[in-house]
Amino acid sequence: MKLFKSIGEALRQFPLNSYTILLVKLAKIRIALKFKSVKQKVLLPIALLVAFLLTLPRVLSRYSITEELTDSFTTTSINDIVFRFIFATILFWSVLQLNTNWKYALKGNIENTGIGVLVFSNMLLFALFVGLFNCCYPILVGQNISENELGLVHFVYFIVALILVFVSGVLRYQLIHKEDVMENERLKQEKLKSELAALKNQINPHFLFNSLNSLNTLVRGNEEATTFVNKLSALYRYILQSGSQDLVPLRDELAFLKSYVHLVKTRYRDRFSITIEIDGKWLSTKIPVLSLQLLVENAVKHNEISESSPLQVNVFTEGSHLIVENKIQPKSTSVDSTGNGLANLAKRYDLLENKRIIISNTNNIFRVKLPLN
């Protein structure tokens, strides 16, 4: 890093255009240095295979095998050329398909497929085509092929198929690398959009808090209204402060939930009630921000709340889980909801803590269990 900084300082004396060009080149060099090198266990087999193919003619010449093969070659005909061309095309296309597309479509990736299964599949495919060649050549071409030439044909096809296995790996790597680049670019775009949205929203909190302070002045003397405004301010302040955090202590989430419950009870009065019984040993445990409020809000949104059907929500710990449950009281009117709340919460638990929430709907009780350890 110091070397790059020194070079950068030295470049400042150049004209703007030269300086810019050199910096771009320097950046490219730094990026290139960060790339991982290809492992030797990949390079060495390819080098050995190419070396073997280059020296093979000399080996055949050394033992006079080429002369013997030439004497026993079958007569070249149009049927012979067409058959071998079509056969080789189908064989090599199948090898490429197997090693680039089929194995990934069936198993997802090479780790799940297994090297043994992959080798067996290629050998089985090659054996199948060898059998077809042996059976179909005399019938379609109209002449027999000697054992020496047949062995050479099998050997050449095997070597080319082996090369194509390596080529397939390269093609698949390029595809995966391209997908990774596209995914990284998409993430960068989403990050930029989020940063832009955050910049736009920086003005909103000041306006809202000023409005809430003005409202508090107007309702002064009305204790219930003043308390409501204060709770709303605390609610929004918590949302702003926790916006940069993914996980917060359960203690803070409970304090936020109580402020939210106060707002709900102001609206529904005795038609809504909640019990909170949390084992003290879990208060310092961290959970995804706004988890509890989302679950209580979900219960309020999707259930009937009236004098005849008051809503009771229970929040408690059981073993190593925090549970939020309520009796199911379907609303008589349709609910305006995207249905993404619980799905997003489940995804946050999976991404942040590699844990799964448990959602159940039995005996007319809707229950969500959040893991705490």
Side-chain angles (χ1 to χ4, degrees):
M1 290 301 296
K2 292 182 178 179
L3 174 61
F4 286 115
K5 289 181 179 178
S6 301
I7 296 175
E9 292 295 330
L11 290 173
R12 295 187 186 279
Q13 60 185 336
F14 286 87
L16 180 60
N17 291 339
S18 302
Y19 174 62
T20 304
I21 294 173
L22 287 173
L23 277 184
V24 171
K25 291 182 178 180
L26 183 59
K28 290 181 178 179
I29 294 174
R30 293 182 64 181
I31 293 174
L33 291 174
K34 291 181 180 180
F35 288 158
K36 293 182 179 180
S37 58
V38 180
K39 295 182 179 179
Q40 297 304 314
K41 67 179 182 180
V42 176
L43 298 178
L44 185 58
I46 297 177
L48 291 173
L49 182 60
V50 174
F52 174 75
L53 292 175
L54 290 175
T55 55
L56 180 60
R58 303 298 299 171
V59 174
L60 296 177
S61 176
R62 171 66 179 81
Y63 294 98
S64 302
I65 297 176
T66 53
E67 290 79 2
E68 296 178 8
L69 289 174
T70 302
D71 295 338
S72 63
F73 275 176
T74 56
T75 303
T76 303
S77 65
I78 297 298
N79 290 343
D80 175 82
I81 295 173
V82 172
F83 175 82
R84 295 193 188 211
F85 177 80
I86 295 176
F87 179 85
T89 300
I90 297 175
L91 170 61
F92 299 144
W93 176 84
S94 300
V95 171
L96 289 170
Q97 280 288 343
L98 174 63
N99 292 277
T100 56
N101 296 328
W102 291 342
K103 67 177 182 179
Y104 292 91
L106 292 174
K107 294 294 184 180
N109 51 52
I110 193 169
E111 287 80 10
N112 292 334
T113 304
I115 298 298
V117 175
L118 183 59
V119 172
F120 176 77
S121 301
N122 280 279
M123 296 301 295
L124 182 63
L125 178 67
F126 186 76
L128 175 63
F129 273 88
V130 166
L132 289 175
F133 184 92
N134 296 343
C135 294
C136 297
Y137 185 87
I139 298 174
L140 298 178
V141 178
Q143 61 179 334
N144 292 322
I145 186 169
S146 67
E147 292 185 2
N148 289 337
E149 185 180 358
L150 191 62
L152 179 62
V153 170
H154 293 169
F155 178 75
V156 172
Y157 282 174
F158 175 79
I159 293 299
V160 176
L162 186 60
I163 294 174
L164 292 180
V165 171
F166 286 99
V167 173
S168 300
V170 174
L171 293 175
R172 194 69 199 184
Y173 172 79
Q174 289 179 339
L175 179 61
I176 294 174
H177 177 67
K178 182 179 179 180
E179 292 175 349
D180 289 341
V181 170
M182 294 177 63
E183 179 66 15
N184 289 335
E185 185 63 26
R186 185 184 66 82
L187 292 175
K188 288 180 181 178
Q189 293 294 332
E190 290 184 355
K191 182 180 179 182
L192 289 175
K193 290 180 181 178
S194 298
E195 291 177 352
L196 179 60
L199 290 173
K200 290 180 178 179
N201 291 332
Q202 284 181 354
I203 302 175
N204 296 337
H206 300 289
F207 174 77
L208 178 64
F209 282 119
N210 289 335
S211 300
L212 289 175
N213 289 332
S214 300
L215 180 60
N216 210 1
T217 302
L218 292 175
V219 300
R220 187 170 297 167
N222 186 326
E223 183 176 351
E224 184 176 7
T226 301
T227 304
F228 183 90
V229 173
N230 290 336
K231 293 291 184 181
L232 183 59
S233 299
L235 209 70
Y236 197 72
R237 184 174 289 106
Y238 177 82
I239 294 175
L240 290 176
Q241 291 174 347
S242 60
S244 59
Q245 304 178 59
D246 295 319
L247 300 170
V248 294
L250 177 57
R251 179 183 292 103
D252 295 345
E253 276 291 287
L254 288 172
F256 173 73
L257 178 62
K258 291 176 181 177
S259 296
Y260 173 74
V261 167
H262 180 86
L263 303 185
V264 176
K265 289 181 69 67
T266 300
R267 176 183 178 185
Y268 292 104
R269 306 294 179 178
D270 295 336
R271 292 169 289 171
F272 174 84
S273 59
I274 185 171
T275 60
I276 301 177
E277 297 178 357
I278 303 296
D279 192 330
K281 69 178 181 179
W282 299 113
L283 293 178
S284 59
T285 303
K286 291 191 174 183
I287 63 174
V289 64
L290 303 179
S291 299
L292 298 183
Q293 183 270 339
L294 184 148
L295 295 177
V296 174
E297 181 184 24
N298 191 64
V300 173
K301 180 185 298 184
H302 293 279
N303 290 276
E304 181 70 25
I305 306 177
S306 61
E307 294 291 343
S308 59
S309 300
L311 179 64
Q312 170 68 42
V313 178
N314 300 315
V315 182
F316 58 95
T317 50
E318 185 179 87
S320 60
H321 286 83
L322 188 151
I323 300 174
V324 179
E325 66 175 21
N326 62 273
K327 182 180 178 182
I328 299 175
Q329 302 172 178
K331 285 188 172 183
S332 56
T333 57
S334 60
V335 178
D336 184 16
S337 174
T338 61
N340 294 329
L342 287 177
N344 289 340
L345 179 60
K347 189 173 183 180
R348 282 197 290 156
Y349 261 92
D350 184 34
L351 293 175
L352 296 174
E353 301 194 89
N354 195 25
K355 298 175 183 177
R356 297 186 180 276
I357 67 175
I358 302 172
I359 303 173
S360 62
N361 184 352
T362 56
N363 299 325
N364 206 36
I365 298 294
F366 185 81
R367 171 180 289 193
V368 179
K369 300 176 69 174
L370 307 179
L372 293 175
N373 65 355

